[in-house]
Each structure stands twice: as structure tokens, then as C-alpha cells.
Amino acid sequence: SATPGFYAPAAASGANAAATAAADGWIDFASLSVLPAAKAYLAGGVDSAAAARSLRAHLETLDGALAARTYLCGGASACAADAFVAGALAEVFARALGPAERKALPHAARWHATVTAQAGAAQKPHAGADWPEMASADAKAADAKATGAAAPAAAAAASDADAEKEARKAAKKAAKLAEKEAKKAKAAAKKAKGGFNAPGSRAAKKEKAMAGGAKKAAEVNPDEVQPVTPEGAKKVLSKSIAKAYEPAAVEHAWYAWWEAQGYFRADASSPKPKFVIVIPPPNVTGSLHLGHALTNSVQDTIVRWRRMCGYEALWVPGTDHAGIATQTVVEKKLKKQEGVSRHDLGREEFLKRVWQWKEEYGGRICKQLRRIGSSLDWEREAFTMDDNLSAAVKEGFVRMHENSLIFRDNRLVNWSTQLKSAISDIEVDYIDLEAVTEVAVPGYKDKVQFGGIWSFAYPFADGSGEIVVATTRPETMLGDTAVAVHPDDERYKALHGKSLRHPFVDREIPVICDAELVDMAFGTGAVKITPAHDPNDFETGKRHKLEFISILTDDGRINANGGSRFAGQPRFEARKTVLAALEEAGLYRGVKDNKMRLGLCSRSKDVIEPMIKPQWWVDCKQMAADACEAVRDGRLEIIPQMHERTWFGWLENIRDWCISRQLWWGHRIPAYFVRLPGDDAETGQPGSSSERMERWVVARTEEEALAEARRRFPESAGELTLSQDEDVLDTWFSSGLFPFSVFGWPNESADLDAFYPTSLLETGHDILFFWVARMVMMGMNLTGKVPFKQVYLHAMVRDAHGRKMSKSLGNVIDPLECIEGIALKDLQAKLEQGNLDPREVKKAQAGQAQDYPNGIPECGTDALRFALTAYTSQGRDINLDVQRVVGYRQWGNKLWNAIRFAMMNLPEDFKAPTAAEARDVKAAPLAVRWVLAKLNEAAAAINAAMEAYDFNTATSSIHAFFQYQLCDVYIEASKALLSEASKDEAAKRAARVGLWLCLDSGLRLLHPFMPFLSEELWQRLPKEGSEVAGIESIMIAPYPTAIAEWADPDALATMAAVNAAAGAVRSLRASYNLPSKTRPEVFIHAKTAAAADTARAGAPVTASLSLSASVTVVTDEADVPKGCGVAIVNPEVTAHVLLAGAIDAKKEVASLEKKVAALESQLEALDKKMSGADYVARVPAKVQDAEKAKREKLSGERDAMHKAIAEFKAML
């Protein structure tokens, strides 16, 4: 009954607070927990399993609460809380909850049936399969047994049809129930005075919201309810198109169907021209970020366009094993969950665990790539550690070693003491320091000082004095083996060749002369040399044949070479103790600020340590020269061309590439160390500074290696032993082979023959040399072919203010947050869950509040893709403003409404035009001929832009066609032709055909950019009899090109005049505030015969576009009636809008007289100024000219207003 008890039954007995709190809790549960989870699950997509698990948890909570009561709040009848929660679950019970699930949730199922039955809305249980990730194995088995594994397709279809019929029926009844309960809530709110239902109280607000929600639910058209589509089946569309564009609903089901139909698959035997791209393989540890979203949006746009253009388009997916990243993730997981390290497990067991992790979590990024519509050939998915790719890596290493391109040497590397491995240049991040700064370093309790230059003295060995040197790394003085001075420095000429005494280690070090290293003007002009721990000193050491003394262990502690006083100390603790020891010895000379770049390991955030290590290296010089020549002779094109300078600059100054990594996860290096009888166990061993490098044998198998070792060392052939290198290869080595290893190289294959070399490599310009150059070098060396014909380098994504995206700034945008939407509080909560310092969290949250005060609204995949592609001009940076993505989401709604308009104006028996009818448009009305000519221009512009990778022009062209030509002009112009009042059936047919052609071709033009929306809308178009009849999907339909018969310069010229005239009339209407329902008469005064002919030809369209009752063309201004407002279109045409009866003339006269008075005041002041005695002499000529032009303008406005006043007075 309509009493306050409906909100919460206990309220009637006086337990208001408790009852209200209980009802509030359940209503919050419905709105904040159940509804979002239900919506996410029913929308489907790659995350539907996670949504199902969340929803299952909510259902179990509900089931538990109902175990001891009939209704949620404990009363004898249903209350608002029951209505809210039952309403939130209505579609779930109707569409998705199968028998096994209902059985597993008996109390919730009983309660829902009771509540809906009371309203006469009992629902038949869904007969389909249970939810993924929710049903137990037994339940699944039971369902399978009940339905039959081999049930005929027709029976399954009938079952789905029945279920959908029941769902629509239930939706109607649920809406009626909601409307009835809303009325009750409203009545209860009115009846309650001053209690918990009082106006402004929380309960009253909830009842008001309930009433509004119920009203909205009651307005739902069952024909617009989206039916359930079985996984992988073609999407079942609602009977009627929904009133508004909902991205989640539109994107549901299409991708699974495309994939199931094999539309992404490429056939190596196809006679079509081939277009091939390999994906830049994302890390297997990764999740989708904006860089991936940009890369894959651009690539998918290209691939879909080429596919529709008739190419056998292949886009190869794959992931990179990401050696360091993956090993780090698994090691952390083991430490956290089991308290063990990889060394505790041993190599074999640890690698098993990594593979287990990869199988369980490694597919996340691929699911997310599906989410954004990437049309990848998943049957060809590659992983860089797959057997065939691993074989390619081994073969590549062996061949390059045989050709003396890979060699072993003892050199400096970037060493991470946390990872205990060398890392590549790309894995080093840099921070710039202006002065002495304390920096947090992993493994150290206290922060460490960097950004200083410390000075100290070396005493001469003979006690005759000292020489002062300076260093940014005081601890490295333990490994110094010389001090260098400039040979021309007069201060030190007497010291050349003298010896210095090391204060802490028993050795003397020489003073050497080196003009290449030493800058006399910097510091003291004397430089300490540590060849084993500094790149510049390393080269100096080689030039002067100095001793290379490594003072650090792999984990960053001082070793025995650093002296017993410091041995065992962590390097930055040793920094303190070395400085203290220098001060104690009277040798410390102070510290000064020193600008520097500090290198950090991108994975561990540890400070990079240059260390000398025996490693495997690639000699890149000749390969780099070949790669340069390929660009110069045109075999390889780099787009945009401006990046060629970077290409040549890097390759022409290339250095040898260290490819060893001290990891377990990765491609183990196919090199074997030969041990002979009598070898010293301490010296000459692999990895040591005394390593016998001649002992390495490189081979494809251990058997081959053994045979080669016996050939090399015949005297010990029967006793020698082999041990494979413990290290693995740099991840970039396997990535460098990716364009051909994915096709089966080094073996011959149909794929390799058909698809290699590839057509295009598309990626970010930041990895031009780290990956692109290495692919070209290795591809040319190992296959004799440039691996791709073109390289397109897209810009880097920054925020709307041009800043690099950073967690600490709070400006990192997760693509899925843009697709699904996220509230500000949830954005900020994610920051709190991360690893940022609390102060940085506050700073980042402030940035988020400024940029996203209302959070990020749901934009959908298509809007994000279109925005990212539209931003991709051929520059270096993209400043992404989320509001632009929102704008494209709103534009999607405009497209949606265009289709709704078409559906309303294409009768049920409408037949799509045949190819002949589509081209026979010369007799069609002007608007039809014009819009098809504009469509022709758009098709030509988009195809040309796509060929040139000019995505900005391509997206602008398609946007302009839909927004400004189809929606703003043609649809408005065609309304008159399509109205019931129109008796010209031929014109009606032509207008409908024009509309159909624009939507069919326009959506096909749009598809590569917005695949989901275009497919959804295109599927609703009738196609029987047309050129696209029988084509199942828009993605395999032909891409539109310019059609000769649609070129119509006359229609374009006439419509240009029409649009100008209509625009002038609309502006005049706006100036007089005429409402849209007011349709005045318009008179076009044409001063020439040609202008008159054009105006007459376009008069009907001008009337439609300007909301006019009629348009009359006159050649004599005397034929224009009195009482018109005037707008000049161009020197030959004037538009007159009859205002008599349409406006309040008396009011307009008063308004204009005020404006005239203001103009007269301005003219009087200007005249006074210009008539001054010294005006001409004093005022610059430019200013005089500007003020003269201003007076003419003001005078013209005054005269026009006087004329208008006279016309308005004539109306009185």
C-alpha cells in the first residue's frame, strides 16, 4: 500500500532510523554494486568474465541475506529496497541466469520470483547456457546433458527466440511494476511530513530518484531491447534502432563474430595483391596503454582499409617475452607468495614457473587488443619464445657468428646491480640534476647524494707534493689506475710520467698526458682514470694500455680489489666511507654542485653502474651502412621524411651492440665453453675478467658444439667437457628477427614466400634505432631483403597541455577508462593504490581534479580510435585532450540519428538501388546530385590521404562529409522531398536513393576508423538488389572510390550559392530572434541573369535549409515587398526576409534607435579626434588609415539601421 512503510516496513512501527538505514543500504547495493556489474556483464566484451565473477559475488551476498527472511528489510511485504534490487537484476534473471545458477542461489531465486510474481511479472527461466566463469563444472555438465551436445541449430535458434520473447515480455511487465511502485513512492513521500520521508531528507531524495528511474524504465520500448547473441554468432539486432547511441551495446558481439567468420585470416595462395604488417610485439607482461591504443588504432585503420580495397591483408599478432620485465614480475610473485628466490628453485624449475605465469596472465594484452577492434590474424599469433621463433633466433646467432658479426669481448656495459644483468640503452631512464640532490636508491635505507663533484688530492709517490682531481663518483677512486693531464697544460708539464700513491690500495698510479680526454679549463685540469667503471676512461685506458681494475661485485658491493678496508660495503655506503677516509687522511678538498644526468634502470630504478664484463657483441658497422644505402636508393621509405636525419645520424655513428643478458628467462645463447683437463678452477672461467675467450664454441646443438670442440682441441678430444653459456640474448635480438621469423624462417614456407618482405612497419619514432634499424640490419643480413618497404613513424602521445604522461602528474590516461568512463573519485583511488609517494599522490590528484573535474565520461572504443587517428599528423607529439574524444562520442550519436532518420524515411518495401540506378543521377533533384558529388570528393580525398598516411586529412574528410554535408545540409534539404505533402514520387525515390547511397558508402568510408559503429549501422540498411547485396559484413565490403557519374561541378556551384543564401537568411533570422517554427517568406534579389538562374534552381533547397515558407527570385528590387530584413549574400545577390507579422516592429524600432544613438556617439568622438588641428601631423599614417576605415564602417552600419528603422515604421 502507498504508505511510508513501502520505503521500509519497520518505519510504520516507529523504528525509523534502523529501517531507513537498512533500506538505504540495499538501495545503495543495487545502484552502486549490482547495476554496474550487471551492465558490464550483459554488455559482453573481453572483460565479461571478470564482470561475471563480480556479479556472482553480489548474488551470493544477496542469497545469504535472504536465507532467513522473505524480503530484504524483514517485513511481511516487498518494499522499495526489494523493488530497487529486483529491478537491477531483472535483465540478469531474464536473459542470463540459467537453471544451474538458480539452483545454486535458491534464496535469491525464490525472492526474485516472489517479488516479480506479486506484480504479475513472473518470468520463465532462461533456457540457454550459464554464465562463463560462474557456473560450476557439475552445473555445466548438467546443462550440457539436459540440452544435448549435438542439438540441431534450428532448435537452438527457437530456444533463443523463445527466451528473447520472454525477455521482452518481462521487460514490459517490469516497467509496469516500476511505474506502479514509483507512484506508491511518490504518494508515500507526500504523506510523510517531517519524518524520514520529509522533503530534502535522504529517503525523500531516494524516493524521488526511484520515481524518476521508474518513469524512465516505463518508457523503454521493448522493440529497442538488445537481444542476446550467442558467443561467436552474428549479432542479433533489436527490432527497432534505439533512440540514442550506447557504445557498450553497439560494440558488443561484433568482434567475436568477425573472428569466428575468419575475416581476419589471410590466404597465402590468394591471387590478390598482398599487404602485410607485423605488430610491434607488446611485452607479454603488459596491459593496454595509450601508446598501444594509438599504434593499434592506426595499424588497424590501415589494415581494414587495405582489406576493403581488395588486398589480401595480413596483420600478424604477437607478444615479446620481455626478458627482464617478465623475470622481474615472476621473481616478485615468488618472493611474495612463497618466500623463495629463483636461485632457491634452480633454473629449470624457475623457467617452468615463468611459463605457467605466461599461460595464466600473458594473454591479457591480446584480449585488450581485441577490445579496441584490432583485426589481427590470431591463427598466426606469435610469441618470441615459441619453438619456431626460438629456432630462428638460434640460427640467426650462429650465422652471424660464422660471418664474424657476433664476437666475444671484455667491455663496459650498463649494469643493474639489482637485476645483476647488463641492460640495453633503451632500458635506461635519465633524471637531470641541477645540484647536490638526495635520491632514493633501491636497497639503501638512506637517500644517496648525486649532482655533486667531489675534489680530493693524490700525493706523489716521492712525497714531493700532490695533485688535486675531482669526481662525481668518489667510490670509484678505489679502481683508479692513472691521472690524466693535458700535454699542453703548463701547470703540469713538470709532472709528466711521475707516479702517485694511492692512499688506500697498495699501488702507484702514473700521471699520463691525454689531449683527447682532458679539458684544461674544467676543474683542476687533472682527471682521475677508472678504466673499468667509466666509458670515457675505458677508451683512455685502451689508448694508454692501463690496467683495468673492477672494484664491484655483480650485486654492487666493493670487492677485494677495492682494499680490505672497504671490501663488502655496498657501493654507496662505500662512497661515504671513502670520503670520510679521505678527510681523515687530509686529502679531502670539498664538494661543489654539478649538473648531471643520472641513469636509472627502467625496471628496478637502480642507479646504472658502468662495469667491465665479457659479453657477446654484434659488429654493426657494415650492416648499418647497408641500412643507410637502402634508404638512399629507395628500397626503404621512412615516413615522415624528417626522421631520415635521425636514421642516418645514428647508423653512421653506430657502436657495437652488447646482446648478452644475465637472466634465465629468454633465448639462451647457443655458445659452449670448452673445459680442458688441468684447467685452473679460479682463473680463465666464463664471466671472469680473465676469461679465455678462445674457448667458446658456437653451434646449433650441443652435439655440433662437441664435434667442433674436438676438432679445435684434438689433444684433449676425449676428455674435454662443454658448458652452455648461462646468459640469454637481449630481447631486441629476437625482436629484430620478428618480420621474418613469424613466417617460419629459416625454413622455406608458403607464408614466407607470400608475405615477406612485408609492406609496412608502423610504430613510434622513439624506437627508430632500438628496433626498426635492427630489424632492417638483421633482415638484410640474414634474408638478403629489406624486411619492409615503408616505415611509418607516428607521434608520441602527451596530455592536453603537452606534458609527457606521468603517474606523478596524474595525467596518465588508461584507454579502457576512456572507453568505459570513470568517476573522478575512482581515478584518484587508483593513484592511492599505486606506489607513489603520498606527496606525489596529492599532487597527481590535484592535477586530475583540474583536468577531469567530472571524471571521464564513457566514450566507447570507436570515439577513442577516431580521436587518436585524427590526432596523428606527421609530427612528433600528440597533445591528447579527452574532451575531443568526448566530442567524437557525441558525433557518433549524430551518425546514429542519421540512420534513425533513414529508417523512418525508407519504407519497409524500399529496394536498394541497383548499380545502374545508383549511377543514373543526372535527372535527380539538386540536393541529391550535390550530396553524391560531395561524397565523391570525400571518397577521393580519403583514399589519397590513406595512401599518403595523412590520417588527419582522412578523418577530417569523413567527419566533414557526415557532419556538414550529409547531416547539416542533405538531410535537412531532403525533408521537403520526403514529406507526405510531396506528390513527386520520382523525386521521393531519388531522395531516398541518395540517402541510402550516402549512408552505405559513408559508413564504408568510416569503417576503418570506427569499425563497431559502422558495422552496427550498416547492418540495418536494406541491401537487396544493390552492389553490396549478399555481403555479410561491412569489413569485407569494397571500399568506396570516386564514381565518374557522380562528378557534378554544376550541382556543386549551385549548392554553394544555395548554402550561402541559406546561411545569410539563417543569420538574419538569428539577429531578429525568430523561432524555428516561424517560417517567413524570402525574396532573393539577383542582379544578373546567371545569378537569377542559379538562385531559381536552388530555391526549393534554400527554403528547406533556411526554414522559410517560400523563396521567390526577383531581378528588380522594386518587386521586394516592404517590411523585409536584408542580408547581403554576395555582390550579385541579396536576401530579403519578410518580417511583417513575424516580429514586434515597435520593439525593433526602439532597439535599433538605441543602437543608432550609440553609433552616433562613437562617430562624434571619432570626428572630433580626426578634425584636430595637429591630427595629420601627429598621428601615424597607419593609424589614420585604420580610423578612416573604422569611420566608414560605423557610418555604413548607422545608415543600414536608419533604413531598417524606416522599414519597421512602415509596418506600424
Side-chain angles (χ1 to χ4, degrees):
S1 62
T3 66
F6 173 68
Y7 187 83
S13 62
N16 290 354
T20 302
D24 283 345
W26 282 114
I27 291 170
D28 285 344
F29 175 76
S31 60
L32 301 178
S33 300
V34 175
L35 269 175
K39 180 182 177 183
Y41 176 72
L42 293 171
V46 297
D47 293 323
S48 59
R53 288 193 293 271
S54 175
L55 193 51
R56 173 60 184 261
H58 297 323
L59 285 167
E60 288 174 347
T61 298
L62 184 68
D63 192 70
L66 289 163
R69 63 183 73 170
T70 304
Y71 300 103
L72 291 173
C73 294
S77 62
C79 68
D82 297 278
F84 256 91
V85 182
L89 290 168
E91 279 197 87
V92 173
F93 273 85
R95 291 172 53 190
L97 213 57
E101 281 298 326
R102 290 171 186 257
K103 187 176 180 181
L105 301 164
H107 309 302
R110 178 263 307 155
W111 162 82
H112 195 269
T114 302
V115 173
T116 52
Q118 285 179 354
Q123 298 167 25
K124 177 181 177 182
H126 187 267
D130 288 313
W131 297 5
E133 301 296 324
M134 290 185 65
S136 66
D138 290 340
K140 287 183 178 177
D143 282 355
K145 184 177 180 181
T147 54
S159 173
D160 284 339
D162 290 343
E164 294 310 321
K165 185 176 178 183
E166 290 298 327
R168 286 195 295 272
K169 184 177 176 183
K172 279 185 178 179
K173 290 181 178 179
K176 287 180 181 178
L177 171 64
E179 188 173 36
K180 180 179 176 183
E181 299 297 4
K183 287 178 181 177
K184 286 183 181 181
K186 189 175 180 181
K190 275 187 176 180
K191 188 171 180 179
K193 304 283 186 181
F196 63 87
N197 296 76
S201 70
R202 187 179 181 195
K205 288 177 182 175
K206 288 210 172 183
E207 289 188 352
K208 183 178 179 182
M210 206 173 104
K215 182 180 179 183
K216 188 175 179 181
E219 293 171 354
V220 171
N221 180 354
D223 287 341
E224 295 176 8
V225 174
Q226 184 68 55
V228 173
T229 298
E231 183 70 21
K234 186 174 183 178
K235 188 172 183 178
V236 183
L237 299 175
S238 58
K239 187 175 180 181
S240 300
I241 187 170
K243 289 184 178 66
Y245 166 49
E246 294 290 343
V250 167
E251 292 161 17
H252 174 58
W254 286 122
Y255 192 93
W257 176 62
W258 291 332
E259 189 175 352
Q261 291 298 109
Y263 293 150
F264 306 156
R265 286 199 296 268
D267 181 2
S269 64
S270 170
K272 296 178 184 178
K274 306 296 190 296
F275 182 81
V276 187
I277 292 183
V278 297
I279 194 173
N283 286 354
V284 72
T285 57
S287 58
L288 194 68
H289 58 61
L290 266 183
H292 294 131
L294 171 63
T295 299
N296 287 278
S297 295
V298 170
Q299 289 182 18
D300 191 53
T301 297
I302 295 169
V303 170
R304 286 179 183 269
W305 172 67
R306 287 291 185 187
R307 189 183 286 120
M308 294 176 76
C309 287
Y311 286 79
E312 191 67 24
L314 171 61
W315 186 14
V316 181
T319 49
D320 191 281
H321 65 278
I324 292 174
T326 305
Q327 180 161 314
T328 300
V329 166
V330 177
E331 285 194 89
K332 286 181 178 178
K333 183 172 183 283
L334 287 170
K335 193 69 176 175
K336 183 178 180 180
Q337 296 181 357
E338 301 179 36
V340 297
S341 70
R342 63 183 167 111
H343 299 286
D344 296 329
L345 295 176
R347 186 170 192 142
E348 186 176 345
E349 180 60 28
F350 175 74
L351 291 178
K352 283 183 184 177
R353 299 294 188 93
V354 181
W355 277 106
Q356 288 170 5
W357 181 92
K358 186 265 178 186
E359 295 304 318
E360 187 172 356
Y361 300 105
R364 177 175 55 177
I365 187 73
C366 294
K367 290 177 182 177
Q368 292 173 329
L369 291 175
R370 287 177 165 91
R371 178 69 181 274
I372 61 171
S374 303
S375 57
L376 292 147
D377 186 346
W378 292 106
E379 292 185 4
R380 287 184 168 89
E381 182 181 354
F383 176 52
T384 51
M385 288 284 286
D386 286 343
D387 288 345
N388 56 323
L389 273 73
S390 295
V393 169
K394 185 180 291 186
E395 182 66 24
F397 186 95
V398 172
R399 289 192 190 184
M400 291 173 74
H401 182 265
E402 288 173 347
N403 293 327
S404 301
L405 293 173
I406 290 179
F407 60 93
R408 186 80 169 176
D409 199 4
N410 206 17
R411 298 187 182 185
L412 276 186
V413 296
N414 296 318
W415 188 262
S416 168
T417 61
Q418 287 284 305
L419 300 174
K420 300 183 186 67
S421 174
I423 63 172
S424 67
D425 292 341
I426 199 172
E427 290 159 330
V428 179
D429 296 332
Y430 290 93
I431 57 173
D432 293 314
L433 304 177
E434 296 294 319
V436 175
T437 307
E438 291 192 334
V439 177
V441 178
Y444 291 85
K445 182 180 178 182
D446 298 326
K447 290 185 175 181
V448 181
Q449 285 190 344
F450 295 94
I453 185 162
W454 287 265
S455 298
F456 67 93
Y458 268 121
F460 289 112
D462 61 9
S464 61
E466 64 181 26
I467 190 168
V468 177
V469 296
T471 178
T472 58
R473 300 155 64 212
E475 65 280 6
T476 61
M477 63 87 63
L478 300 174
D480 286 355
T481 57
V483 168
V485 296
H486 197 283
D488 298 332
D489 194 331
E490 295 293 337
R491 293 172 294 176
Y492 301 116
K493 279 201 170 181
L495 305 180
H496 296 177
K498 291 199 73 171
S499 293
L500 304 171
R501 177 176 53 80
H502 198 290
F504 308 129
V505 184
D506 185 20
R507 69 172 172 267
E508 291 186 1
I509 57 178
V511 176
I512 62 173
C513 296
D514 196 294
E516 190 172 333
L517 175 72
V518 180
D519 177 359
M520 288 187 286
F522 182 77
T524 64
V527 181
K528 61 184 283 297
I529 308 298
T530 319
H533 292 284
D534 182 272
N536 294 322
D537 294 0
F538 178 83
E539 297 299 329
T540 305
K542 287 202 297 183
R543 286 196 298 273
H544 295 273
K545 295 182 172 52
L546 299 176
E547 186 179 3
F548 287 69
I549 300 175
S550 178
I551 60 164
L552 292 174
T553 61
D554 288 353
D555 61 355
R557 293 176 180 272
I558 304 297
N559 63 23
N561 293 334
S564 58
R565 183 173 181 178
F566 307 101
Q569 292 181 9
R571 57 186 165 147
F572 298 130
E573 291 296 331
R575 174 173 295 185
K576 296 177 184 177
T577 54
V578 165
L579 288 171
L582 286 169
E583 191 160 14
E584 181 183 333
L587 299 173
Y588 181 61
R589 295 294 180 266
V591 61
K592 294 180 180 178
D593 290 336
N594 180 63
K595 287 185 178 182
M596 67 175 294
R597 297 188 77 205
L598 184 65
L600 304 177
C601 172
S602 62
R603 301 296 177 188
S604 66
K605 305 307 176 189
D606 185 25
V607 175
I608 292 299
E609 191 68 48
M611 286 179 66
I612 193 164
K613 291 282 184 181
Q615 307 279 279
W616 292 100
W617 299 80
V618 177
D619 179 354
C620 299
K621 289 183 182 62
Q622 186 56 51
M623 292 193 294
D626 294 340
C628 288
E629 189 59 29
V631 172
R632 289 192 177 98
D633 65 21
R635 283 175 291 161
L636 176 63
E637 180 184 11
I638 297 176
I639 307 167
Q641 192 174 8
M642 65 181 184
H643 291 296
E644 284 187 8
R645 183 177 178 182
T646 307
W647 179 266
F648 292 126
W650 190 73
L651 289 175
E652 288 172 352
N653 296 281
I654 199 166
R655 295 185 296 179
D656 294 339
W657 170 23
C658 173
I659 55 174
S660 298
R661 295 293 178 270
Q662 288 63 47
L663 305 171
W664 287 357
W665 172 247
H667 297 103
R668 195 166 176 182
I669 294 173
Y672 301 82
F673 191 79
V674 180
R675 286 188 168 86
L676 303 178
D679 277 354
D680 189 321
E682 298 297 325
T683 60
Q685 296 303 309
S688 68
S689 58
S690 61
E691 176 187 287
R692 295 188 179 95
M693 294 180 192
E694 75 282 358
R695 293 282 190 88
W696 286 103
V697 174
V698 171
R700 295 170 181 82
T701 65
E702 189 170 357
E703 290 72 25
E704 284 186 19
L706 187 59
E708 174 61 17
R710 287 172 175 167
R711 185 192 67 77
R712 268 207 243 164
F713 304 99
E715 68 282 357
S716 303
E719 300 176 88
L720 61 79
T721 58
L722 299 180
S723 58
Q724 188 173 354
D725 195 339
E726 293 286 327
D727 293 350
V728 300
L729 286 166
D730 179 8
T731 300
W732 294 104
F733 189 91
S734 53
S735 298
L737 308 180
F738 200 73
F740 47 96
S741 63
V742 296
F743 298 124
W745 184 91
N747 299 318
E748 294 295 326
S749 70
D751 273 9
L752 188 65
D753 185 57
F755 298 126
Y756 184 81
T758 65
S759 310
L760 173 71
L761 189 283
E762 194 282 335
T763 189
H765 66 72
D766 57 325
I767 55 172
L768 176 61
F769 24 84
F770 294 114
W771 185 45
V772 181
R774 286 167 177 168
M775 281 189 286
V776 173
M777 290 191 299
M778 297 174 79
M780 291 178 69
N781 181 263
L782 293 171
T783 71
K785 301 174 183 177
V786 180
F788 24 76
K789 299 176 182 69
Q790 294 176 310
V791 175
Y792 177 76
L793 301 166
H794 64 242
M796 306 310 296
V797 185
R798 295 179 178 271
D799 72 3
H801 311 292
R803 301 173 302 180
K804 184 178 180 180
M805 291 198 173
S806 161
K807 289 181 181 178
S808 62
L809 292 174
N811 62 351
V812 174
I813 302 171
D814 181 337
L816 296 182
E817 291 168 358
C818 215
I819 290 169
E820 299 171 356
I822 187 170
L824 176 61
K825 64 180 179 64
D826 296 323
L827 272 174
Q828 299 197 328
K830 288 181 73 173
L831 285 173
E832 292 169 354
Q833 295 161 7
N835 298 319
L836 286 180
D837 182 274
R839 288 171 296 182
E840 288 189 324
V841 168
K842 286 187 177 181
K843 177 183 172 184
Q845 288 178 335
Q848 288 179 334
Q850 182 179 353
D851 288 345
Y852 318 115
N854 301 310
I856 299 174
E858 178 192 19
C859 296
T861 297
D862 284 320
L864 178 64
R865 284 175 56 122
F866 197 89
L868 289 171
T869 309
Y871 267 117
T872 307
S873 58
Q874 294 184 4
R876 286 190 173 272
D877 294 313
I878 291 172
N879 294 351
L880 179 65
D881 186 350
V882 170
Q883 289 308 310
R884 186 164 172 184
V885 185
V886 174
Y888 288 127
R889 157 72 172 81
Q890 293 164 346
W891 180 60
N893 201 60
K894 189 135 189 166
L895 301 184
W896 189 266
N897 287 330
I899 293 291
R900 289 188 74 240
F901 174 83
M903 293 297 101
M904 290 187 290
N905 287 280
L906 298 180
E908 289 188 11
D909 61 350
F910 174 80
K911 298 293 183 186
T914 62
E917 185 183 9
R919 285 159 176 74
D920 185 15
V921 296
K922 290 302 178 186
L926 170 64
V928 176
R929 290 184 288 114
W930 171 80
V931 79
L932 293 179
K934 296 305 287 184
L935 176 60
N936 229 26
E937 287 183 344
I942 293 165
N943 279 295
M946 289 298 290
E947 285 286 358
Y949 304 111
D950 183 358
F951 302 104
N952 185 266
T953 296
T955 51
S956 296
S957 299
I958 188 65
H959 180 266
F961 172 73
F962 271 110
Q963 181 82 15
Y964 305 120
Q965 290 142 23
L966 178 63
C967 294
D968 288 357
V969 177
Y970 182 72
I971 285 179
E972 293 303 319
S974 67
K975 286 178 179 176
L977 297 172
L978 296 172
S979 69
E980 292 182 8
S982 174
K983 304 302 181 186
D984 189 340
E985 293 303 320
K988 274 188 179 179
R989 171 66 184 174
R992 286 169 176 152
V993 166
L995 179 59
W996 186 93
L997 288 170
C998 285
L999 292 174
D1000 166 56
S1001 294
L1003 289 171
R1004 284 189 280 137
L1005 286 170
L1006 179 65
H1007 177 74
F1009 308 93
M1010 299 179 103
F1012 297 103
L1013 179 60
S1014 58
E1015 181 76 273
E1016 178 99 2
L1017 295 178
W1018 191 76
Q1019 291 290 347
R1020 290 189 177 275
L1021 291 176
K1023 303 179 191 69
E1024 184 180 350
S1026 72
E1027 289 181 279
V1028 293
I1031 297 176
E1032 276 289 301
S1033 170
I1034 192 173
M1035 73 169 287
I1036 55 171
Y1039 200 74
T1041 54
I1043 293 172
E1045 292 85 348
W1046 289 358
D1048 198 329
D1050 292 340
L1052 292 173
T1054 301
M1055 277 299 291
V1058 165
N1059 281 322
V1065 173
R1066 287 196 300 270
S1067 295
L1068 201 60
R1069 289 176 61 103
S1071 68
Y1072 290 113
N1073 297 315
L1074 293 186
S1076 58
K1077 64 182 179 182
T1078 300
R1079 304 292 171 114
E1081 293 179 62
V1082 171
F1083 296 84
I1084 300 293
H1085 175 216
K1087 298 177 183 177
T1088 65
D1093 291 342
T1094 300
R1096 289 190 188 98
V1101 182
T1102 305
S1104 293
L1105 296 179
S1106 62
L1107 303 178
S1108 303
S1110 63
V1111 172
T1112 303
V1113 180
V1114 300
T1115 54
D1116 186 345
E1117 194 169 12
D1119 294 333
V1120 177
K1122 300 294 183 183
C1124 287
V1126 183
I1128 297 173
V1129 180
N1130 58 49
E1132 296 179 349
V1133 177
T1134 306
H1136 302 258
V1137 179
L1138 186 60
L1139 299 173
I1143 62 170
D1144 184 339
K1146 188 175 181 180
K1147 185 178 178 182
E1148 292 297 330
V1149 167
S1151 174
L1152 285 171
E1153 285 177 341
K1154 283 184 181 179
K1155 292 179 181 178
V1156 167
L1159 285 173
E1160 293 283 9
S1161 177
Q1162 291 183 60
L1163 283 165
E1164 184 180 346
L1166 199 55
D1167 286 343
K1168 184 178 179 181
K1169 179 181 178 182
M1170 295 172 71
S1171 61
D1174 60 347
Y1175 177 78
V1176 174
R1178 180 176 52 83
V1179 178
K1182 275 189 177 181
V1183 175
Q1184 291 184 44
D1185 291 342
E1187 290 182 336
K1188 183 179 178 182
K1190 182 179 179 182
R1191 193 193 185 290
E1192 289 174 359
K1193 180 176 179 291
L1194 292 173
S1195 181
E1197 289 178 4
R1198 179 194 60 186
D1199 294 345
M1201 286 183 186
H1202 277 306
K1203 185 177 180 182
I1205 289 170
E1207 290 173 349
F1208 283 131
K1209 284 183 176 179
M1211 297 181 201
L1212 296 173

